[in-house]
Amino acid sequence: DPWLFRQLCYEVMVSTDQWCPDTTILMEICGIDPSLLEEEPDSEYLADDDLAPIPEAAEHVIDKVYERNPLPRTTTLASILRRILPPRAITDATLLDNFTSIRNTLRNPLGLSATNIVSISSVPENINDPDSLGVGGMGKTTLAAMVAHHPDVRRYFIDGVVWVYVGDKELNYNRYTQCLRELVGQLDFYQGVPLFAELLHTPGETLSKRRRREEGFMIYARDTIAELLQDRSVLIILDDVCFE
């Protein structure tokens, strides 16, 4: 799969700060059209008033953190942002200084998007337990709030920055659709409430059969929201995820 190969090469270069084979050689091997090297023009610069709004949950976290005058986390923040933003979207000079040199010079030459999923975790409470959760109070939520608050993030994800608290409740169909409604409720471009099918109890239904039916309902709900977000630039932050 040429696309997958190119994606892997790009991720390796970004992560290891090491050059891979010459771009021309890669293009010949994969049969890549040279037009893929042409980057999209920068979008028009947006004033602060035109940026996506900051999620209320992120504002509350940032307000509490600033009260305690926390230590700077520029390096960690840059590590996160470089995986969700293309280099051309970064205007913060303090972050560019913390990017690896190859990221600044390479500038996404294969026309690939940045990684769209980033997990912020910490060391497990019990090192020997593979199911152990990350230690609390390490600043995971604070980092997520700093990402949501950053102007470059709100400028790039112009259609919305969404904050959804997941928690440790069982993620059944009802909880899943509740999270999806919270997500949609924070998007300014969508007016209304998405309609999801009601999962009714069927007398005599076995637990395994109900779970299979529930999974089908969840897939339909997921696809409904995916269609809504198609061709939109939205960042979704899931806070306090306590399960895989």
Side-chain angles (χ1 to χ4, degrees):
D1 186 339
W3 185 93
L4 178 59
F5 179 68
R6 286 183 280 126
Q7 180 71 56
L8 290 174
C9 288
Y10 177 64
E11 293 294 338
V12 169
M13 287 186 284
V14 169
S15 301
T16 65
D17 197 22
Q18 298 291 326
W19 289 104
C20 73
D22 180 79
T23 302
T24 304
I25 296 176
L26 285 178
M27 293 175 62
E28 291 177 354
I29 293 174
C30 300
I32 302 172
D33 189 329
S35 63
L36 289 175
L37 294 176
E38 300 176 2
E39 288 195 0
E40 298 177 3
D42 292 346
S43 58
E44 183 179 355
Y45 185 84
L46 299 176
D48 289 348
D49 292 341
D50 298 326
L51 304 184
I54 304 171
E56 290 185 9
E59 284 191 299
H60 293 326
V61 173
I62 292 294
D63 288 343
K64 291 180 180 179
V65 169
Y66 284 170
E67 289 175 0
R68 299 197 299 266
N69 191 24
L71 294 174
R73 304 183 182 186
T74 307
T75 302
T76 308
L77 179 63
S79 178
I80 297 171
L81 294 191
R82 72 175 191 157
R83 299 185 179 281
I84 63 173
L85 297 177
R88 68 177 185 278
I90 301 295
T91 63
D92 188 338
T94 61
L95 293 181
L96 286 175
D97 291 340
N98 285 275
F99 276 26
T100 56
S101 59
I102 194 169
R103 179 74 184 220
N104 290 329
T105 58
L106 200 59
R107 299 193 66 80
N108 206 358
L110 299 182
L112 301 172
S113 62
T115 302
N116 59 1
I117 298 178
V118 176
S119 174
I120 304 176
S121 187
S122 60
V123 295
E125 294 175 334
N126 187 341
I127 299 297
N128 298 320
D129 183 0
D131 297 324
S132 180
L133 301 177
V135 175
M138 301 300 291
K140 299 185 291 294
T141 296
T142 299
L143 278 170
M146 292 171 66
V147 171
H149 191 272
H150 199 279
D152 285 341
V153 172
R154 293 160 48 219
R155 183 175 293 110
Y156 185 75
F157 294 100
I158 190 60
D159 290 314
V161 178
V162 176
W163 187 290
V164 178
Y165 176 82
V166 179
D168 58 359
K169 293 182 180 178
E170 179 187 0
L171 194 63
N172 54 27
Y173 177 71
N174 290 333
R175 175 59 180 151
Y176 185 65
T177 53
Q178 179 185 2
C179 288
L180 293 180
R181 289 190 179 94
E182 291 176 8
L183 185 160
V184 173
Q186 298 177 52
L187 299 175
D188 291 338
F189 65 82
Y190 183 80
Q191 302 297 326
V193 178
L195 298 178
F196 299 116
E198 184 177 0
L199 183 64
L200 301 175
H201 175 69
T202 302
E205 185 179 36
T206 63
L207 180 60
S208 60
K209 187 175 181 180
R210 176 179 173 82
R211 285 179 175 173
R212 288 196 299 271
R213 188 161 61 92
E214 187 174 34
E215 289 175 359
F217 275 57
M218 293 172 75
I219 291 173
Y220 177 79
R222 178 202 64 191
D223 292 346
T224 299
I225 299 302
E227 183 177 356
L228 173 65
L229 299 179
Q230 188 174 8
D231 299 326
R232 295 283 185 175
S233 182
V234 176
L235 175 64
I236 302 173
I237 297 176
L238 304 179
D239 184 32
D240 201 20
V241 179
C242 297
F243 48 83
E244 294 185 358

